[in-house]
Amino acid sequence: MREALEGSQAIARAVALCEPDVVAAYPITPQTHIVENLSKLVADGELHTEFVSVESEFSAASVVLGAAASGARAYTASSSQGVLLMAEVLFNIAGMRIPLVMTVANRAVSAPLNIWNDHADSMAVRDSGWIQLHCENNQEAVDTTIQAFRISQETDLPVMVCMDGFVLTHTMEVIDIPTIAQVRKWLPPFEFKRALDPSDPKSLGALVGPDFFPEVRHSHHAAVTKALPVIEKTDRSWARAFKRGCGGLLTTEGPKDAKIGIIAMGSTVGTLRSGLAKTEDAGVRLIKLRAFRPLPEEALREATRGLDHLIVIDRAISPGLGGILGTEIKAVLYGTPDAPRIHNHAIGLGGRDIPETIVGDLLSAIEDPDATPFSVFDADLTMLPPEDR
Amino acid sequence: MTSVIVGATARPYRSDTMIEYRIHGRGGQGSVAAAYLLASAAFEAGHTCQAFPSFGAERRGAPVTAFVRIDNQPIHLRSQVRTPDFLIVQDDTLLLDRGITDGLKPGGAMIVNSRRSDEDVAEAFSCRTKCIPATELALDYIGRPIPNTALLAAFLTMTGHLPVDALAAALKGRFKGAVLEKNLALVDAVAGMVPAGAWKESEDA
């Protein structure tokens, strides 16, 4: 049913529709209303789940790890510092190939203390071996959350649903929430073949020495890569059942013969689309990247074909390197004949508001002879002492 | 811009019909709730909507800003509202900051929770202004100094932008029992106090 809902509330409803056996969360600052709403659904008797209020994010991640390892459908949510506090366990969850779902309400990481939206938190655990899917709007966040449970159990991998903190989590918009009957029909019951079972004892996360560790890593990498077709297939199946999709691995919009492309992840895509619509004859191909891990290399090469210039928008940076997505796209396109020139810009760090007029500025920067291959695009350098510029 | 290369989601996205609001208040006055209520009312009236706070470190009494967009098609833009069509001001001490009307579109208007006269307040600003003693009305009808319901009722009555019934429907989604009844009574009372449709013209412009 279509309703006007706040993003966090909608995500709580979506999680409840998936009927998790265990939800564990610790509301560190900054938080969202997701687990608060889940807790309320449990208290109101609308959701029957083991809701575990733990004492830290580390424990929240540990509880869902243990729960899923014992064969339970498990969910948690976090943000910013909370994700960092979970980091050790997040690597364990992925390393043990435990299927579970987590929402990351993307926010900046301290210091300096900042509670606003960027992608520094999920980027910090980029290499943990989780699937990471980004959402443009709250409808996609709801749909991707439900899809994530199916992707997770089909791949035996944990899935991180990344949605922009505040910009999506605290925004009310019109969202279609599926019915429980629809979700029950579409989402198979949770099954984990390697679940711990006292009648058939086994170990998860045992010591693995150098004699087998590279093989473990190789197979983990292969498993995450093999999730690509599963992500696509799951979204197609969703689209058939619910008459809307989330864009599979990535989507492109704009003229086929475009020479300039812009690629971004998350809610920024909407603002860029709005800005492009107001830019006369922009002739720009807009690429929305949904799957960041696994990174869809083939689809990216296909989506950027024919472009002379590609503007890559990052919402986080790797100090000393520059843009993270930008660097990865360069790697993907390396060796591709006629690959576009990459213009990599970080925007909206720590919640700096992104106006739609930034589109014009980004396009102008292509021709700017003083433009650097990477920039924190909306930083006002005059605010810095000369030695820091 | 409709052709699709990979994946496929082509959508029309140019909008000339969007109306944008900025709500100014102080922490504890229900400014974010006002934004959500207005958006819910728009949804009840069949529109698309988007409402969000200005994401500050909120505390009681501190200035708070919230934003609302209403349209008849999907809303893609996520930035803060910089050029609002209308301002809703929940506390008249916020008018001490003359920048409060920054970006207000030509022909825009401002509704203020104040016991001062419209002329008195309008003098300092170049936009059309309506003052409503919303705190007093809220105390009378609801028993709490939350001005948002009265301001929204006055605003919708004057602009005719959404039927006042839509606000009532939004309130029904948020409140129950006695609190709901008191809010609905307040909506009715305020709707009779302001000139209906007085700001309709700019709405159609």
Side-chain angles (χ1 to χ4, degrees):
Chain A
M1 192 174 87
R2 278 162 59 85
E3 297 174 57
L5 285 173
E6 186 211 27
S8 291
Q9 205 186 349
I11 296 306
R13 298 262 300 273
V15 170
L17 289 174
C18 299
E19 302 178 283
D21 300 300
V22 175
V23 173
Y26 176 81
I28 199 174
T29 295
Q31 253 293 340
T32 68
H33 304 140
I34 297 173
V35 289
E36 180 186 326
N37 280 304
L38 279 167
S39 168
K40 188 171 184 301
L41 288 171
V42 173
D44 292 347
E46 291 173 38
L47 170 62
H48 302 287
T49 189
E50 188 73 35
F51 189 94
V52 190
S53 294
V54 289
E55 82 290 356
S56 77
E57 305 270 355
F58 184 93
S59 296
S62 301
V63 166
V64 289
L65 188 167
S70 70
R73 178 173 284 165
Y75 170 83
T76 188
S78 191
S79 192
S80 184
Q81 307 307 118
V83 174
L84 297 197
L85 193 50
M86 281 184 175
E88 179 181 338
V89 189
L90 297 182
F91 277 75
N92 276 319
I93 290 168
M96 291 185 217
R97 315 263 195 92
I98 303 284
L100 61 85
V101 173
M102 167 179 178
T103 304
V104 170
N106 282 112
R107 303 207 207 194
V109 164
S110 295
L113 180 61
N114 176 294
I115 57 170
W116 290 268
N117 163 237
D118 70 27
H119 292 171
D121 48 7
S122 63
M123 285 297 174
V125 292
R126 175 190 70 166
D127 300 334
S128 59
W130 283 59
I131 291 172
Q132 292 186 327
L133 304 175
H134 282 262
C135 311
E136 183 195 328
N137 52 47
N138 280 316
Q139 186 67 65
E140 284 187 9
V142 162
D143 297 352
T144 298
T145 298
I146 302 170
Q147 288 187 24
F149 281 100
R150 185 152 146 178
I151 294 166
S152 174
Q153 60 198 62
E154 203 157 314
T155 58
D156 270 8
L157 287 168
V159 181
M160 200 175 282
V161 179
C162 301
M163 63 188 292
D164 286 327
F166 279 133
V167 179
L168 294 185
T169 57
H170 289 55
T171 291
M172 172 183 274
E173 52 192 355
V174 182
I175 304 167
D176 183 24
I177 302 286
T179 64
I180 187 94
Q182 286 174 311
V183 174
R184 277 181 185 157
K185 194 173 162 204
W186 186 82
L187 178 65
F190 185 72
E191 196 193 336
F192 180 35
K193 289 197 183 67
R194 288 181 291 116
L196 297 173
D197 178 359
S199 66
D200 176 22
K202 62 176 90 63
S203 260
L204 288 173
L207 178 77
V208 171
D211 49 348
F212 206 64
F213 198 84
E215 288 76 17
V216 171
R217 280 291 173 263
H218 174 89
S219 67
H220 190 178
H221 170 52
V224 179
T225 308
K226 282 180 196 158
L228 284 167
V230 179
I231 295 166
E232 268 192 304
K233 186 186 73 177
T234 306
D235 193 44
R236 275 202 303 273
S237 165
W238 178 268
R240 275 195 300 276
F242 294 90
K243 311 298 170 214
R244 59 171 183 266
C246 296
L249 302 169
L250 59 78
T251 52
T252 65
E253 307 160 36
K256 272 202 168 103
D257 57 352
K259 292 294 166 203
I260 298 171
I262 305 182
I263 182 166
M265 301 193 293
S267 67
T268 315
V269 173
T271 298
L272 294 171
R273 180 183 300 116
S274 182
L276 281 169
K278 288 171 185 162
T279 310
E280 284 301 320
D281 306 319
V284 171
R285 185 182 305 166
L286 180 61
I287 306 169
K288 171 163 80 178
L289 183 61
R290 179 177 183 239
F292 180 65
R293 282 294 180 276
L295 192 69
E297 299 191 28
E298 254 328 297
L300 280 165
R301 278 190 283 269
E302 178 68 25
T304 54
R305 187 163 295 152
L307 296 176
D308 293 337
H309 298 276
L310 178 63
I311 300 167
V312 184
I313 301 298
D314 260 292
R315 297 294 314 279
I317 71 165
S318 177
L321 173 71
I324 300 166
L325 182 60
T327 304
E328 297 200 350
I329 301 274
K330 278 181 200 165
V332 166
L333 296 181
Y334 180 77
T336 304
D338 304 319
R341 200 174 133 209
I342 306 287
H343 309 265
N344 186 199
H345 303 294
I347 62 174
L349 299 183
R352 173 72 56 91
D353 190 45
I354 302 170
E356 56 186 340
T357 51
I358 205 164
V359 168
D361 299 333
L362 288 164
L363 294 174
S364 304
I366 288 176
E367 305 299 337
D368 180 357
D370 298 328
T372 49
F374 170 76
S375 78
V376 180
F377 192 75
D378 46 4
D380 177 1
L381 300 189
T382 63
M383 288 163 70
L384 294 170
E387 63 271 23
D388 286 353
R389 285 177 198 170
Chain B
M1 310 204 14
T2 50
S3 70
V4 169
I5 299 149
V6 182
T9 43
R11 290 166 289 207
Y13 40 72
R14 182 179 291 272
S15 172
D16 301 316
T17 51
M18 187 189 288
I19 297 182
E20 296 180 300
Y21 308 82
R22 198 166 64 209
I23 299 171
H24 295 269
R26 293 191 178 277
Q29 285 188 312
S31 303
V32 180
Y36 286 171
L37 266 177
L38 182 53
S40 298
F43 169 70
E44 295 290 345
H47 300 283
T48 56
C49 60
Q50 182 193 75
F52 56 100
S54 74
F55 317 144
E58 280 130 24
R59 58 209 183 278
R60 290 210 165 242
V64 169
T65 314
F67 310 99
V68 181
R69 293 191 168 96
I70 296 176
D71 206 341
N72 294 320
Q73 46 192 310
I75 299 167
H76 302 284
L77 179 62
R78 299 269 171 198
S79 54
Q80 297 184 358
V81 170
R82 294 169 182 230
T83 55
D85 296 86
F86 294 101
L87 295 176
I88 298 173
V89 182
Q90 301 226 79
D91 187 309
D92 66 0
T93 61
L94 292 167
L95 299 176
L96 293 169
D97 175 6
R98 290 285 180 265
I100 197 164
T101 56
D102 281 357
L104 184 66
K105 281 187 186 132
M110 169 165 75
I111 190 155
V112 185
N113 172 22
S114 178
R115 280 178 294 186
R116 293 160 64 186
S117 72
D118 298 349
E119 296 72 24
D120 184 27
V121 170
E123 203 176 11
F125 299 95
S126 57
C127 61
R128 289 175 302 162
T129 304
K130 179 71 190 166
C131 294
I132 303 284
T135 302
E136 285 73 10
L137 288 164
L139 283 169
D140 284 354
Y141 281 81
I142 308 172
R144 291 184 63 206
I146 305 293
N148 52 23
T149 299
L151 286 171
L152 289 177
F155 172 76
L156 293 183
T157 305
M158 291 183 69
T159 59
H161 178 201
L162 303 171
V164 177
D165 286 354
L167 177 60
L171 286 164
K172 282 173 192 158
R174 202 173 176 91
F175 300 114
K176 284 186 201 133
V179 179
L180 173 63
E181 292 310 317
K182 290 172 183 175
N183 272 279
L184 293 177
L186 176 56
V187 169
D188 281 344
V190 172
M193 289 170 57
V194 295
W199 286 351
K200 198 166 188 320
E201 222 169 86
S202 58
E203 200 69 33
D204 299 332

